Amino acid sequence: MSTGMISRRTWMASTVALLAALPLTSALAAPFESSRITVRTEGSGPDVVLIPGLNSSPRAWASTVAAVPGYRYHLVHVSGFAGQPAGANKEGSVAAPAAEEIARYIRESNLKQPAVIGHSMGGTIGMMLASRHPDSLSRLMVVDMHPFLGTFFAGPGAAPAKVEAVADGVAAGMRAATPDQRSQRANDTIAGMVNTEAMRPGAVQDSMGSDPDVSIRAYRELIVTNLIPELPKIGVPVTVLYIQPKNVPLPAEQFDAVYKGAYAPVKHLTLKRIPDSAHFIMWDQPQRFQAEVKEFLSGQ
């Protein structure tokens, strides 16, 4: 028997012994699987979970990830949005189950309280995660999302029944749209949400690539979901970046008061208005946004 054969056998025996000594969960850990979200990672360093908004994909974060290296980014893609099959999101709520799946992803991936950044609906999901699974993250950034959209749709102090009725009317109008009307609405909506014209085509593509039924149910869910009562449960630091839409003709001080009042229950809050930007702050004010992300993450 050759010396090489002995060496190979010795190596194999050592490897088997090493694997046997490892915890079973480490040696045989299966990739995370979900019918509601998919997650891919980029980079290395402290963990950061990025959650995009309604009808959006991880492309929303591409420029931020490139400009803020030194972290391992976990890019969430909600099933039914931007070309992803609907999966389990083909019925029922979308945002709340996605929050539960992200909590499971954090737990099963053995992430140690990652920072979480959510844009729009992703901000809603982030708030759900922080209030319902407070030990799962270290800090939260909400990018342009109010904790109760019903305030804007049905008016301040509207009764839940009225909010539900308004949300049902919005959903019915969306369901009645023809394909051409849906396309026109997507273009008009993105034009109002993205000032930077070069970034609009990708957002429109994501919107038109989204499952209409998933989108409608998720939008309705966002309108009727009031997270303000849950905000006191959030113990981690929360940073909120927000803009004032062009179609909200309130004095700046009055609009600021709406956000301050809504987020007042958060124990550790940093609230910042971002001027000269539409809804996609990361695209309209990239340098400012990247600076805010760096400051936010430096507190980890």
Side-chain angles (χ1 to χ4, degrees):
M1 185 180 293
S2 68
T3 303
M5 180 64 72
I6 294 173
S7 298
R8 285 195 293 274
R9 286 186 174 179
T10 301
W11 176 84
M12 289 176 65
S14 299
T15 301
V16 170
L18 177 62
L19 288 173
L22 289 173
L24 185 61
T25 53
S26 296
L28 301 176
F32 177 80
E33 293 185 1
S34 171
S35 59
R36 291 190 180 274
I37 63 170
T38 58
V39 187
R40 62 179 174 85
T41 61
E42 288 188 21
S44 60
D47 292 302
V48 182
V49 176
L50 300 176
I51 313 171
L54 182 76
N55 295 339
S56 291
S57 72
R59 84 163 78 218
W61 307 111
S63 57
T64 305
V65 169
V68 189
Y71 297 91
R72 181 166 66 151
Y73 292 102
H74 302 260
L75 297 135
V76 175
H77 196 151
V78 176
S79 298
F81 294 161
Q84 287 287 95
N89 291 335
K90 65 183 178 182
E91 58 184 9
S93 298
V94 178
E100 294 303 309
E101 285 296 83
I102 293 171
R104 184 171 70 86
Y105 172 79
I106 291 171
R107 182 174 64 253
E108 294 185 3
S109 301
N110 296 316
L111 305 188
K112 305 303 180 186
Q113 292 187 307
V116 174
I117 304 176
H119 173 239
S120 194
M121 189 183 93
T124 295
I125 293 172
M127 285 184 271
M128 291 174 170
L129 183 68
S131 63
R132 300 170 189 179
H133 301 275
D135 295 331
S136 65
L137 70 167
S138 62
R139 57 193 57 247
L140 171 66
M141 174 181 279
V142 176
V143 183
D144 203 37
M145 191 59 175
H146 192 274
F148 184 29
L149 280 187
T151 296
F152 296 102
F153 282 82
K162 181 179 179 181
V163 177
E164 293 267 354
V166 170
D168 288 341
V170 171
M174 294 173 71
R175 291 189 188 283
T178 66
D180 285 346
Q181 289 171 332
R182 180 170 175 257
S183 176
Q184 185 62 53
R185 181 176 294 173
N187 279 273
D188 292 344
T189 299
I190 295 304
M193 289 186 167
V194 182
N195 288 341
T196 307
E197 291 188 19
M199 303 306 293
R200 290 175 184 171
V204 171
Q205 181 182 20
D206 282 352
S207 181
M208 294 304 298
S210 297
D211 183 292
D213 183 62
V214 176
S215 299
I216 292 166
R217 282 184 287 104
Y219 196 30
R220 184 193 180 281
E221 180 186 3
L222 292 178
I223 295 172
V224 302
T225 298
N226 182 5
L227 292 179
I228 295 175
E230 297 189 43
L231 297 183
K233 300 176 183 178
I234 300 178
V236 299
V238 177
T239 296
V240 179
L241 308 181
Y242 69 97
I243 61 100
Q244 181 168 346
K246 297 175 183 177
N247 62 351
V248 179
L250 292 176
E253 296 79 7
Q254 188 174 344
F255 188 79
D256 291 345
V258 171
Y259 263 81
K260 289 177 182 177
Y263 279 101
V266 177
K267 297 179 181 71
H268 308 288
L269 177 67
T270 301
L271 192 61
K272 296 184 180 182
R273 167 196 279 266
I274 306 299
D276 302 319
S277 178
H279 185 53
F280 282 75
I281 300 172
M282 66 284 286
W283 290 345
D284 287 341
Q285 290 291 337
Q287 293 182 333
R288 170 70 187 274
F289 182 75
Q290 291 155 19
E292 293 292 349
V293 168
K294 289 177 183 177
E295 180 179 344
F296 168 76
L297 294 178
S298 69
Q300 280 190 296

